[in-house]
Amino acid sequence: LELEINKVVNRLKGKNLNSQERREARKALRASRPRTRADVKALIDAVGEDDTRDAALAAMRLIDASAPAEVASEMVEQVDVVDDTKDLRILRTVVDVNVSRNFSGARERIRARLNREPKTRIKNKGDLEMLWQNNWERGKRIGRVQILAEALAKLDGPAALDTLWGLDEVVATNQAGNLLAPLGTVALNRAVSDFPKESGPRQDGCLSVIAFSTGVDAMPILERLTESEDHRLRHVAAEALVRANAPNLDALLQRLVGDKD
């Protein structure tokens, strides 16, 4: 099934294939393993077409750490130039492959693109509702930042926190817990300390980080939060403890049963 990718792509672009031939060509494309820089570019081109998008993305995900140097180099370069006009799966795939394969130079390219992406200020829920207007263009802009931020979190770990915390696309959206809680207690402590200073969606983001903090080191912090004066902190701390199945969960819940909030 590993045919020359550009030939398969060009064949699919043709109009003279019947449905069975088209299915077979897409199957061949899906199983093709990129071997050259031209292969990667052909796949990027194929992703732009509805008929070949899924198969091309599947082939891109076959790129592994043993890929030829020119394939790895082209994938790193695509972090800079890939353009999603219909959805975000192209950038997501390019970034995921670079991060999971740890290609040389990927970290620097991802950080550079994150820095230059247009940023969105999200001060209230109305700002988020605006994302669905204009063919979701603002939503895709935020999505690009989130994809790059998630990649930076995986590459740099807790060292990325200050950068990520400055992004409303991360802290002021429903992705705050998913993106930041995996950074561990450094993110949890930041969420707790910044909670009273924040408002609106960013304050909700702090609560989300707390609710998704389930590491062993987070347990003592969460237990203390169940005694907080603020009922919102008590609530998300209990949520995190349940999610983590904390060792003394029964006793904690028994105590919280009497909490009027």
Side-chain angles (χ1 to χ4, degrees):
L1 291 176
E2 290 190 14
L3 306 176
E4 289 187 43
I5 290 175
N6 62 332
K7 290 184 178 179
V8 179
V9 171
N10 288 333
R11 187 161 186 255
L12 282 164
K13 286 181 179 180
K15 305 299 183 183
N16 59 341
L17 297 181
N18 60 39
S19 58
Q20 177 62 29
E21 291 171 332
R22 190 164 293 278
R23 281 195 297 272
E24 291 177 354
R26 284 198 297 266
K27 183 179 179 181
L29 179 61
R30 182 181 294 273
S32 297
R33 195 176 293 270
R35 299 297 184 190
T36 67
R37 188 179 296 273
D39 284 344
V40 176
K41 291 181 177 179
L43 289 176
I44 294 293
D45 180 44
V47 170
E49 302 293 331
D50 293 339
D51 189 44
T52 53
R53 181 176 299 119
D54 290 342
L57 289 172
M60 287 171 64
R61 291 189 177 278
L62 291 178
I63 298 172
D64 57 27
S66 65
E70 66 177 286
V71 169
S73 176
E74 183 61 34
M75 285 298 290
V76 172
E77 289 185 21
Q78 287 296 330
V79 171
D80 278 340
V81 302
V82 69
D83 177 35
D84 286 315
T85 55
K86 295 186 177 181
D87 57 40
L88 296 171
R89 287 186 293 168
I90 310 173
L91 180 62
R92 163 67 71 184
T93 301
V94 168
V95 168
D96 284 353
V97 170
N98 274 286
V99 171
S100 62
R101 281 39 165 190
N102 195 27
F103 288 147
S104 176
R107 175 185 279 103
E108 292 73 21
R109 293 293 182 106
I110 289 169
R111 187 185 293 111
R113 177 155 186 180
L114 176 61
N115 287 339
R116 70 171 183 271
E117 281 289 329
K119 306 304 188 295
T120 302
R121 301 307 299 173
I122 303 173
K123 296 182 179 180
N124 53 62
K125 292 182 179 179
D127 291 338
L128 288 173
E129 292 170 359
M130 290 286 290
L131 302 179
W132 299 102
Q133 298 182 9
N134 299 322
N135 195 29
W136 202 49
E137 286 303 315
R138 284 186 64 197
K140 285 189 284 189
R141 185 172 76 183
I142 286 178
R144 285 193 294 272
V145 173
Q146 289 176 339
I147 289 170
L148 295 163
E150 181 181 359
L152 190 63
K154 291 177 179 177
L155 290 168
D156 285 354
L161 182 64
D162 285 343
T163 297
L164 302 183
W165 203 267
L167 300 172
D168 280 2
E169 294 89 346
V170 174
V171 179
T173 68
N174 59 5
Q175 293 299 307
N178 291 328
L179 290 180
L180 295 174
L183 298 181
T185 55
V186 63
L188 173 58
N189 286 327
R190 181 69 173 268
V192 173
S193 66
D194 279 24
F195 171 76
K197 309 172 191 175
E198 299 284 8
S199 61
R202 283 189 64 92
Q203 190 174 65
D204 292 341
C206 291
L207 293 173
S208 178
V209 173
I210 297 169
F212 280 85
S213 295
T214 56
V216 174
D217 293 342
M219 296 301 106
I221 301 170
L222 296 171
E223 289 181 24
R224 289 196 295 271
L225 287 178
T226 62
E227 300 176 355
S228 169
E229 294 182 359
D230 193 303
H231 70 89
R232 293 169 294 180
L233 291 176
R234 299 199 302 274
H235 181 98
V236 294
E239 184 179 341
L241 289 164
V242 169
R243 184 174 281 117
N245 194 23
N248 56 342
L249 182 59
D250 289 348
L252 287 167
L253 292 180
Q254 188 62 44
R255 176 167 58 80
L256 291 170
V257 162
D259 191 323
K260 61 183 178 63
D261 294 307

